[in-house]
């Protein structure tokens, strides 16, 4: 853990322990390298259709309204055309699927991939 100095309302300086921060770029990069596998786990009812993964919803139902780009410079970008939800990377998709904040989505994705994505971590 890192230590950070904080100032109190009385002007005193105290040290506080901070947990290592998560490196979103590392998580996204690892997920992009294994994107078909990640999508099959996040959206199990989906399927590959050309350069995209198609699913019916963020619940992973079969269908075509949710699409995730699997290749090229736009890999990882996704949109659910039925709801208007969209995002630009695997972390935002994992968070949307879990209905949680992006930090929690990134942690879940890092665990799924078996990576340590903490800055200054192990």
């Amino acid at each position: 853990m890192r230590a950070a100095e904080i100032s109190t309302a009385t002007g005193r300086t105290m040290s506080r322990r901070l947990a290592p921060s998560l490196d979103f770029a590392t998580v996204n990069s690892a997920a992009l390298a294994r994107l078909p596998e990640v999508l099959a786990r996040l959206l199990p009812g989906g399927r590959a259709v050309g350069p995209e993964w198609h699913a019916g919803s963020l619940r992973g139902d079969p269908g075509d309204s949710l699409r995730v780009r699997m290749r090229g410079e736009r890999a990882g970008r996704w949109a659910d055309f039925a709801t208007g939800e969209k995002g630009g990377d695997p972390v935002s998709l994992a968070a949307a699927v879990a209905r949680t904040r992006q930090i929690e989505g990134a942690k879940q994705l890092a665990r799924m991939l078996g990576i340590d994505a903490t800055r200054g971590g192990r």
Side-chain angles (χ1 to χ4, degrees), residues 29-115:
S29 179
L32 287 169
R34 296 168 48 189
L35 197 53
E37 171 193 343
V38 168
L39 295 173
R41 291 183 67 183
L42 290 177
L43 305 166
R47 69 196 188 291
V49 178
E52 296 179 328
W53 186 267
H54 289 206
S57 70
L58 288 168
R59 291 184 309 271
D61 302 323
D64 291 303
S65 68
L66 175 67
R67 298 183 183 186
V68 184
R69 188 70 175 187
M70 291 193 300
R71 297 191 292 270
E73 75 178 43
R74 294 185 302 159
R77 290 188 185 180
W78 61 274
D80 187 337
F81 296 100
T83 65
E85 293 176 88
K86 60 184 174 180
D89 56 39
V91 166
S92 67
L93 178 62
V97 166
R99 295 285 181 215
T100 191
R101 299 177 326 167
Q102 288 208 20
I103 186 74
E104 294 304 320
K107 287 177 184 178
Q108 291 174 7
L109 197 50
R111 280 192 299 273
M112 177 195 300
L113 296 166
I115 62 169

